[in-house]
């Protein structure tokens, strides 16, 4: 089973476009496309181009979490390890382990220099790793050297004290038919977290038959992600991730099922004040933020969840910010959802596709506090919690 998202995950340019309207033999496509375009137009008018960047101090500094899909999940895993004082929990919808993409394991085949993997920890000079070796060759990876790398980074002050992770929680998901992150790859990520956290704080859901996607129960999301089979549209990933991170009571007010009616609460978020000048982060000028009305007043101290999209930002970002399922749970339970957005520029095909950096393509310190994308996301979070920016 191969999903639309699988086929476009490794897009090599910024020209990625969703072509569902061309799918033959599906009358539903035209109807859904018209409905979605109409809803998007209404939402665009409601958003009115206003930036939601004046909400300083509306989020609780002790209730910040992060999740992501694919390259966004890679970044989420890095953020949880690097900034464990900031993030109380993480949701990983198919993501690789901290430092895995650049670490040479004993059985790793070596390659000629490659801009997709410009930095290798343990390679001879002039050689590098196979791109996506942790996703494609999970059997050659192991958790202990990655845990050792995190330990050394913490000792050097490059990341937060690992002791903080003992109080954090991690939720992981991989669909049984995922062909982008091969079987074993996400379990390797879980094993790193099991070593850094109490094992009972780590939940890995791998029983749902889905391809590479954010599992949800919204019919449009499931159609767009081309999820088929007996488990189609039966697993609410947003709910399970948020409940695991915050506890079941955090969602006790239930889900607002009127998805389209929530679009006006999804506002532009000016990312420019948070982007470091050098090295560049390659994030876009604007992302989006979902703020429930109860969280608008200064000092509201609502929970804050950061969701990170995957590659192919041009065709996936709008869908994930509207239909991934987080807004519906956030609305009634006073959770702010921040959706950072990558741009479509940079020196590599992955950055041009809008992938978050899990390969050292922005800096060889890509998984440290000083990494440009980590600096940017931390600054966004700090602006919403009112915390002092300290990276």
């Amino acid at each position: 089973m191969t999903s639309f998202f699988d086929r476009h995950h490794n897009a090599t340019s910024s020209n990625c476009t969703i072509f569902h309207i061309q799918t033959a033999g599906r009358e539903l496509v035209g109807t859904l496309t018209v409905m979605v375009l109409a809803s998007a137009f209404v939402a665009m008018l409601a958003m009115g181009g206003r930036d939601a960047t004046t909400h300083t101090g509306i989020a609780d500094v002790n209730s910040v979490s992060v999740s992501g899909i694919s390259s966004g999940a890679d970044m989420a895993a890095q953020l949880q390890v690097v900034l464990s004082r900031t993030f109380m929990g993480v949701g990983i919808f198919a993501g690789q382990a901290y430092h895995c993409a650049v670490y040479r394991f004993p059985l790793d085949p070596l390659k000629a220099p490659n801009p997709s993997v410009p930095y290798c920890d343990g390679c001879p000079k002039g050689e590098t790793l196979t791109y996506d070796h942790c996703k494609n060759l999970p059997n050659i990876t192991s958790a202990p050297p990655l845990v050792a790398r995190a330990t050394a980074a913490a000792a050097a002050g490059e990341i937060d004290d690992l002791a903080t992770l003992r109080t954090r929680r991690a939720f992981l998901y991989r669909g049984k038919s995922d062909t982008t992150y091969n079987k074993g790859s996400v379990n390797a990520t879980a094993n790193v977290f099991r070593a850094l956290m109490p094992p009972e704080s780590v939940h890995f859901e791998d029983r749902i038959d889905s391809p590479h996607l954010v599992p949800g129960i919204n019919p449009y999301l499931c159609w767009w992600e081309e999820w088929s089979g007996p488990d189609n549209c039966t697993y609410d990933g947003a709910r399970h991730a948020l409940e695991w991170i915050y506890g079941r009571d955090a969602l006790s007010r239930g889900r607002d099922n009127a998805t389209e009616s929530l679009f006006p609460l999804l506002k532009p978020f000016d990312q420019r004040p948070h982007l470091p000048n050098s090295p560049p982060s390659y994030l876009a000028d604007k992302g989006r933020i979902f703020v429930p009305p109860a969280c608008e007043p200064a000092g509201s101290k609502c929970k804050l969840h950061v969701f990170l999209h995957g590659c192919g930002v041009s065709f996936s970002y709008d869908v994930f910010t509207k239909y991934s399922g987080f807004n519906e749970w956030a609305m009634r339970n006073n959770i702010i959802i921040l959706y950072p957005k990558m741009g479509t520029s940079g020196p590599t095909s992955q950055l041009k596709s809008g992938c978050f950096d899990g390969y050292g393509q922005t800096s060889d310190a890509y998984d440290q506090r000083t990494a440009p994308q980590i600096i940017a996301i931390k600054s966004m979070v700090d602006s919403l919690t009112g915390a002092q920016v300290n990276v």
Side-chain angles (χ1 to χ4, degrees):
M1 185 188 303
T2 303
S3 72
F4 176 85
F5 193 75
D6 279 323
R7 296 196 296 272
H8 289 267
H9 172 75
N10 292 318
T12 57
S13 77
S14 60
N15 298 322
C16 304
T17 308
I18 182 166
F19 289 113
H20 280 108
I21 200 166
Q22 296 181 2
T23 305
R26 284 204 270 182
E27 186 177 333
L28 176 64
V29 174
T31 303
L32 282 170
T33 302
V34 171
M35 290 172 61
V36 172
L37 289 174
S39 297
F41 180 70
V42 172
M44 179 181 69
L45 292 178
M47 288 166 68
R50 295 170 293 169
D51 283 348
T53 55
T54 58
H55 297 307
T56 301
I58 62 172
D60 180 1
V61 70
N62 295 312
S63 299
V64 182
S65 60
V66 62
S67 69
I69 169 69
S70 202
S71 81
D74 296 347
M75 175 57 71
Q78 291 169 195
L79 286 167
Q80 186 59 73
V81 175
V82 176
L83 299 177
S84 59
R85 290 185 299 175
T86 299
F87 295 102
M88 62 171 290
V90 62
I92 295 173
F93 296 98
Q96 55 190 324
Y98 170 81
H99 203 67
C100 190
V102 301
Y103 185 83
R104 183 194 178 192
F105 297 94
L107 297 180
D108 258 316
L110 294 172
K111 302 289 183 179
N114 180 354
S116 295
V117 193
Y119 164 64
C120 171
D121 182 358
C123 290
K125 186 177 180 179
E127 295 184 289
T128 192
L129 300 166
T130 302
Y131 176 71
D132 271 351
H133 70 143
C134 297
K135 293 153 59 174
N136 296 326
L137 304 169
N139 291 337
I140 70 171
T141 70
S142 62
L146 303 179
V147 174
R149 166 57 193 161
T151 303
E158 297 166 350
I159 67 175
D160 287 352
D161 190 333
L162 293 183
T164 311
L165 284 170
R166 307 300 295 176
T167 64
R168 303 320 194 198
R169 294 174 69 81
F171 171 90
L172 301 97
Y173 176 92
R174 178 190 175 271
K176 289 169 64 175
S177 300
D178 190 335
T179 58
T180 302
Y181 283 68
N182 287 345
K183 187 176 182 180
S185 58
V186 183
N187 188 55
T189 308
N191 284 337
V192 171
F193 279 118
R194 291 180 185 119
L196 296 172
M197 300 174 172
E200 61 271 19
S201 297
V202 181
H203 177 74
F204 179 30
E205 178 56 69
D206 62 351
R207 298 168 296 177
I208 309 302
D209 191 0
S210 79
H212 187 63
L213 48 68
V214 178
I217 59 174
N218 182 280
Y220 177 75
L221 176 71
C222 300
W223 165 81
W224 183 85
E225 293 184 314
E226 298 185 6
W227 187 0
S228 61
D231 290 341
N232 169 39
C233 237
T234 61
Y235 188 81
D236 191 340
R239 172 188 177 180
H240 287 284
L242 292 173
E243 281 189 338
W244 183 260
I245 293 168
Y246 290 114
R248 190 176 299 274
D249 290 345
L251 304 184
S252 60
R253 296 186 180 97
R255 185 181 194 270
D256 190 326
N257 294 318
T259 299
E260 285 76 12
S261 71
L262 302 179
F263 291 171
L265 299 178
L266 194 61
K267 304 291 179 63
F269 184 91
D270 190 355
Q271 299 185 150
R272 290 171 296 181
H274 308 287
L275 308 183
N277 292 324
S278 181
S281 65
Y282 300 104
L283 269 77
D285 287 346
K286 291 187 179 182
R288 287 179 178 173
I289 187 170
F290 180 86
V291 183
C295 300
E296 288 276 359
S300 298
K301 301 302 179 185
C302 291
K303 295 178 177 64
L304 170 61
H305 184 73
V306 180
F307 179 82
L308 304 174
H309 62 79
C311 300
V313 62
S314 298
F315 67 83
S316 66
Y317 184 75
D318 189 63
V319 174
F320 287 143
T321 60
K322 292 177 178 177
Y323 293 101
S324 60
F326 288 96
N327 301 341
E328 290 89 335
W329 289 105
M331 179 64 179
R332 294 183 180 176
N333 296 286
N334 300 340
I335 305 173
I336 300 161
I337 310 294
L338 177 65
Y339 296 100
K341 183 181 183 182
M342 283 295 296
T344 53
S345 66
T348 68
S349 60
Q350 291 81 26
L351 290 170
K352 288 182 173 69
S353 180
C355 305
F356 283 94
D357 184 16
Y359 302 91
Q361 294 180 2
T362 57
S363 166
D364 58 6
Y366 78 104
D367 56 1
Q368 301 176 24
R369 286 200 200 101
T370 55
Q373 292 183 5
I374 290 178
I375 288 175
I377 294 169
K378 175 69 160 59
S379 178
M380 295 177 203
V381 168
D382 287 344
S383 73
L384 293 167
T385 63
Q388 181 180 359
V389 177
N390 180 21
V391 294

